Amino acid sequence: TFSCVSRMLCSGTNLEDDLVKEALKTGVDLRQYSKQVESELQRIEQASIKDYNQCNCSCPGSIYYFTCMRMEGMLSGFQSDLWSISSEIQTLQQQSVSMSVRLKNRQAVRSHLSQLVDELVVPGAMISTILDSPVTEQEFLEQLHELNNKINFAKELSFRETLACSDIQDIVDRLKLKAVSKIREFILQKIYSFRKPMTNYQIPQNTLLKYRFFYQFLLANERTVAKEIRDEYVDTMSKIYYSYFKSYSSRLLKVQYEEVADKDDLMGVEDTAKKDILHKSGFFSKPSLKSRNTIFTLGQRGTILSPAELEGPILVPHTAQRGDCRYPYETLFRSQHFGLLDNGCREFLFLCDFFMVTGNSALDLFNCIMGKTLAMFLKSMSTYVSDCYDSIAIFLCIHIILRFRAITAKRNIPVLDKYWDAVLELLWPRFELILEMNIHSIRSTDPQRLGVLDTRPHYITRRYAEFSSAIVSINQTFPNEKTHTLLGQLQVEVENFVLKMAAEFPSRRDQLIFLINNYDMLLGVLMERAADDSKEVEGFQQLLLARTQEFIEEILSAPFGGMIAFVKEAEALMEKGQLDRLKNDEARITQLVRGFSSSWKQSVEAMSQEVMRSFTNFKNGTSIIQGALTQLIQYYHGFHKVLSQPTFRALTVRSELINLHHLMVEVKKHKPNF
């Protein structure tokens, strides 16, 4: 053991270099290696101590003593060498960390410098493509993106006052000018192509959208040219839209119905008014409207609000003229404004996409293009509306606009909102004015000027029924309180008119027939279009029920009035407990019993025939007959009940009463069947 230690210590002069070199060469962790060496030395030290203890070293003069002293010296030297190695290992470790940091810094610098060099270099391919390639090629677009990046990078370097920037600034500027020139020429050519007659401008618009980066490049690098292009586009499209819609609107008016409503076509005006005026004036060149009733009838005009019709293709005027087709104003209005909606939405989306505008900027740009066209629309509409008396056409136009406004809101296109509001501000007051004129015309109608009296439904009542059902059915989707109020006023005036007309009849029976016929007709027309729970329907149902009940009492009073009066009188006395007051009316009761038994069948038959002659609606007539027969049975049942009281039980005529069940069976034979 001593010899091994001795050899190790003797070679200690070279131990530092050899161990360090070996450690560095093999990539061993110096900390771990130091611990390993220290552990080995401790093991050797323990072995040496053991050997030493086995020897007798107590004698100073012995060989073992000298050996131990020598061993002690060697171990002390070895210990100092170990401390020296440990410090050197720590030094090497610090140097390694420092070298690693420097390496990372150099790599980072190399990355930035490499990017800088790449951005500063202008490739020959870029130069040749920008100078020689057409702008429509994909390669030109790609190189334009690269050029834009280099321009932005050069600007960034110039702000940092990088000297290398000056080396490429000149060539980048020249490439930018060349690219701007080619792009400007390309976009202006596309804009000029819009001006060619019969051009579908949507095609060049779609082409421009494919190269929307061109405008972005101009906006970033040459705002003067970008403004020139934008102004040129605005001027061109403004003229195109104005010219197109002005021409289209004028051609649409050529296929409108020639016969339109005028100020004399009001609900309360008699049918003969216009004809008399024409005869008195001596003018026969232009016939009057075939029927004033058509002005107040919706007919098939309401289909214009169905989704299929509302968003259907626009009318082609020359095709309609070739086929000699004519249309009401609301159809032309729908076609005109659907064209505006379609083009307006597409134009707004193009502006936002190509010119990169949003919010108020987009609205202002759209107004610059479409403002003149919209003003022309409002002016022509104002002229038409000021002389229009077709309330249904106006109301249909209102609801066309309300639906178009909902469509643009759903598409999130706000540019036409103000225009829709302006149109509604024109249409609503006119509609209300025409409605008020009709209300006034009915209020001021003189029944005595309306010709021969007739119990059938009056033509003014039919006008109101058709008109009211039309307005109520149209108004269901977008209810308007003002409209409901005006319709309520109109209904009150019509009810008063019907009562005034009924008052012209001399007999109450004719008055009731007239009222029932008119109320029934009103309900029939209203219920075809309006909801069953609408105010108009409910109001006339109550009036019809009340007048029908009164009429039933009226027709029963002639043949069966005596019995009915006796039953009512007796029932009233029964409630008071004074029925004995009638015990002396045996002769009256006998006459009533025998009279009913002998004539009730003939009376019922005559009553049925009269009812069916009096009412134009067979269904209503049938209902009235059934109601009258039911009421008759109830009265006769009451007659039976009264005569079964103790006061009249002794009367022999009671045996001549008709069996109630038999009467019901016989009565059913007289009910009309349809």
Side-chain angles (χ1 to χ4, degrees):
T1 303
F2 289 155
S3 60
C4 293
V5 175
S6 177
R7 285 195 301 272
M8 291 174 64
L9 293 177
C10 289
S11 60
T13 55
N14 299 322
L15 180 61
E16 177 182 343
D17 294 337
D18 293 340
L19 290 175
V20 172
K21 288 179 180 179
E22 183 66 22
L24 293 175
K25 183 177 181 180
T26 57
V28 176
D29 186 355
L30 296 180
R31 295 178 181 178
Q32 186 65 31
Y33 189 73
S34 174
K35 291 180 180 179
Q36 182 180 350
V37 171
E38 186 175 355
S39 176
E40 183 67 22
L41 289 175
Q42 288 177 355
R43 187 184 63 77
I44 295 173
E45 181 180 3
Q46 293 297 327
S48 300
I49 293 172
K50 184 178 180 181
D51 290 343
Y52 176 77
N53 290 334
Q54 291 176 355
C55 300
N56 184 10
C57 301
S58 59
C59 182
S62 65
I63 187 171
Y64 295 106
Y65 176 79
F66 289 108
T67 301
C68 289
M69 294 296 293
R70 183 183 174 192
M71 187 67 179
E72 183 180 1
M74 291 170 61
L75 289 174
S76 298
F78 184 66
Q79 185 177 13
S80 64
D81 290 337
L82 284 177
W83 282 109
S84 177
I85 290 172
S86 177
S87 63
E88 288 185 6
I89 288 173
Q90 292 179 355
T91 302
L92 289 173
Q93 188 174 6
Q94 293 174 356
Q95 292 176 355
S96 174
V97 172
S98 177
M99 290 173 63
S100 176
V101 171
R102 289 200 298 271
L103 177 61
K104 289 181 180 178
N105 291 338
R106 289 179 181 179
Q107 288 177 341
V109 171
R110 179 183 177 183
S111 175
H112 287 293
L113 287 176
S114 176
Q115 182 180 358
L116 177 63
V117 171
D118 290 341
E119 294 292 345
L120 289 174
V121 172
V122 180
M126 176 185 291
I127 297 174
S128 61
T129 301
I130 296 296
L131 294 178
D132 302 328
S133 296
V135 296
T136 54
E137 291 188 2
Q138 182 63 26
E139 186 180 2
F140 180 86
L141 186 60
E142 293 174 356
Q143 293 298 335
L144 188 66
H145 278 278
E146 291 296 326
L147 177 60
N148 190 56
N149 291 335
K150 291 189 181 298
I151 293 172
N152 293 333
F153 189 73
K155 290 179 181 178
E156 183 180 348
L157 292 181
S158 65
F159 291 147
R160 299 178 183 176
E161 299 181 355
T162 304
L163 297 178
C165 176
S166 59
D167 295 340
I168 64 164
Q169 190 66 50
D170 181 60
I171 189 170
V172 167
D173 287 343
R174 285 190 287 171
L175 285 175
K176 180 182 74 173
L177 292 176
K178 182 63 177 178
V180 167
S181 175
K182 294 176 72 173
I183 291 172
R184 174 184 177 275
E185 182 180 358
F186 170 76
I187 296 179
L188 287 178
Q189 285 179 353
K190 290 297 178 185
I191 294 175
Y192 294 152
S193 68
F194 295 170
R195 302 175 181 178
K196 296 178 181 179
M198 306 301 292
T199 297
N200 183 358
Y201 59 85
Q202 296 174 15
I203 295 176
Q205 272 187 339
N206 293 334
T207 303
L208 287 176
L209 286 177
K210 290 171 57 179
Y211 302 103
R212 60 174 64 86
F213 180 71
F214 287 174
Y215 185 79
Q216 182 180 347
F217 180 83
L218 294 178
L219 198 62
N221 299 288
E222 198 63 51
R223 286 187 173 271
T224 304
V225 176
K227 184 178 184 303
E228 177 191 4
I229 288 175
R230 176 168 161 170
D231 292 344
E232 193 66 34
Y233 178 85
V234 169
D235 181 65
T236 299
M237 293 307 297
S238 176
K239 292 177 180 177
I240 288 174
Y241 281 125
Y242 180 78
S243 175
Y244 167 74
F245 279 108
K246 183 178 181 181
S247 173
Y248 182 68
S249 299
S250 63
R251 285 185 285 123
L252 274 180
L253 292 177
K254 295 179 181 179
V255 295
Q256 183 182 1
Y257 281 134
E258 293 181 359
E259 295 177 342
V260 295
D262 59 27
K263 61 182 179 179
D264 292 324
D265 293 314
L266 298 173
M267 204 172 294
V269 175
E270 55 271 24
D271 275 338
T272 57
K274 179 179 286 189
K275 184 176 179 181
D276 292 341
I277 292 173
L278 290 173
H279 277 283
K280 291 177 182 178
S281 303
F283 294 106
F284 300 97
S285 58
K286 185 177 179 181
S288 63
L289 292 176
K290 293 180 181 179
S291 174
R292 186 173 282 106
N293 289 333
T294 59
I295 300 171
F296 309 100
T297 304
L298 184 62
Q300 296 300 315
R301 297 169 72 179
T303 58
I304 197 71
L305 299 177
S306 65
E309 291 282 341
L310 191 68
E311 300 183 54
I314 63 174
L315 291 177
V316 181
H318 65 270
T319 304
Q321 284 181 307
R322 192 183 303 124
D324 198 23
C325 298
R326 297 287 174 173
Y327 302 94
Y329 178 75
E330 66 270 8
T331 301
L332 310 183
F333 181 89
R334 196 281 317 175
S335 183
Q336 183 186 48
H337 282 81
F338 186 69
L340 174 65
L341 182 148
D342 192 40
N343 285 275
C345 290
R346 186 182 295 109
E347 185 64 31
F348 177 72
L349 293 175
F350 174 82
L351 295 175
C352 293
D353 201 358
F354 186 78
F355 291 104
M356 297 178 296
V357 288
T358 57
N360 291 331
S361 299
L363 296 178
D364 293 341
L365 185 59
F366 179 85
N367 289 330
C368 290
I369 294 175
M370 298 296 293
K372 192 175 179 181
T373 301
L374 298 180
M376 181 264 294
F377 271 23
L378 290 174
K379 183 178 179 181
S380 62
M381 201 179 311
S382 177
T383 302
Y384 173 82
V385 167
S386 63
D387 196 37
C388 177
Y389 294 90
D390 188 349
S391 53
I392 290 182
I394 296 292
F395 200 59
L396 285 171
C397 290
I398 289 172
H399 280 263
I400 287 171
I401 293 298
L402 292 174
R403 284 160 173 79
F404 281 167
R405 185 168 65 179
I407 290 173
T408 54
K410 185 177 180 180
R411 295 181 183 179
N412 197 24
I413 306 293
V415 288
L416 291 173
D417 289 351
K418 290 185 178 179
Y419 175 75
W420 301 140
D421 293 339
V423 174
L424 292 175
E425 287 176 2
L426 281 175
L427 297 177
W428 273 119
R430 187 63 186 181
F431 173 73
E432 293 170 2
L433 175 63
I434 298 173
L435 211 53
E436 289 170 355
M437 291 172 65
N438 280 288
I439 292 171
H440 178 73
S441 70
I442 294 176
R443 184 185 300 130
S444 58
T445 298
D446 184 2
Q448 295 181 353
R449 295 183 55 197
L450 298 180
V452 181
L453 293 176
D454 192 341
T455 58
R456 290 174 297 180
H458 199 275
Y459 61 83
I460 291 181
T461 312
R462 178 168 291 280
R463 289 176 188 173
Y464 163 76
E466 295 286 353
F467 177 78
S468 181
S469 66
I471 299 303
V472 170
S473 63
I474 295 171
N475 201 46
Q476 287 175 351
T477 306
F478 295 92
N480 180 267
E481 192 60 35
K482 181 66 173 178
T483 303
H484 284 305
T485 302
L486 290 173
L487 284 179
Q489 296 176 11
L490 183 61
Q491 180 179 347
V492 170
E493 295 301 330
V494 170
E495 291 175 6
N496 292 336
F497 166 76
V498 172
L499 292 175
K500 286 192 296 184
M501 285 297 301
E504 296 294 316
F505 291 92
S507 68
R508 182 57 181 167
R509 178 173 297 190
D510 288 342
Q511 292 177 1
L512 291 172
I513 292 173
F514 176 80
L515 291 173
I516 292 172
N517 276 329
N518 280 273
Y519 292 153
D520 178 63
M521 184 274 298
L522 285 167
L523 271 178
V525 175
L526 284 172
M527 292 180 70
E528 287 180 3
R529 299 184 182 275
D532 292 345
D533 58 349
S534 66
K535 294 180 180 179
E536 292 79 9
V537 171
E538 289 181 353
F540 286 114
Q541 280 178 336
Q542 293 174 3
L543 290 172
L544 177 62
L545 182 62
R547 299 290 80 78
T548 300
Q549 193 62 37
E550 184 180 352
F551 178 75
I552 288 173
E553 295 290 337
E554 181 71 22
I555 60 175
L556 289 176
S557 64
F560 309 110
M563 181 189 69
I564 294 172
F566 176 78
V567 170
K568 290 181 177 179
E569 182 183 0
E571 287 178 346
L573 291 173
M574 284 173 61
E575 290 181 2
K576 298 177 182 179
Q578 300 174 359
L579 190 59
D580 290 342
R581 293 172 60 180
L582 298 176
K583 63 181 179 180
N584 297 324
D585 287 353
E586 180 178 354
R588 177 187 176 190
I589 295 172
T590 301
Q591 182 182 1
L592 291 176
V593 172
R594 292 174 179 172
F596 183 87
S597 300
S598 62
S599 64
W600 75 268
K601 289 185 179 181
Q602 296 83 352
S603 299
V604 167
E605 183 66 29
M607 182 177 64
S608 299
Q609 292 178 2
E610 181 186 358
V611 169
M612 298 311 296
R613 287 194 303 267
S614 300
F615 297 101
T616 56
N617 184 351
F618 288 124
K619 185 177 179 180
N620 184 44
T622 302
S623 175
I624 291 174
I625 292 174
Q626 291 177 351
L629 296 177
T630 301
Q631 188 67 33
L632 175 62
I633 291 174
Q634 289 178 355
Y635 279 132
Y636 200 68
H637 175 68
F639 192 47
H640 266 263
K641 186 177 179 181
V642 170
L643 295 183
S644 65
Q645 298 299 314
T647 305
F648 305 110
R649 284 178 183 173
L651 295 177
T652 57
V653 77
R654 288 182 66 248
S655 61
E656 299 180 25
L657 287 171
I658 299 174
N659 181 271
L660 193 61
H661 179 70
H662 176 70
L663 179 64
M664 293 174 63
V665 172
E666 291 295 324
V667 162
K668 286 183 179 179
K669 297 178 182 179
H670 292 272
K671 290 184 177 180
N673 296 314
F674 297 98

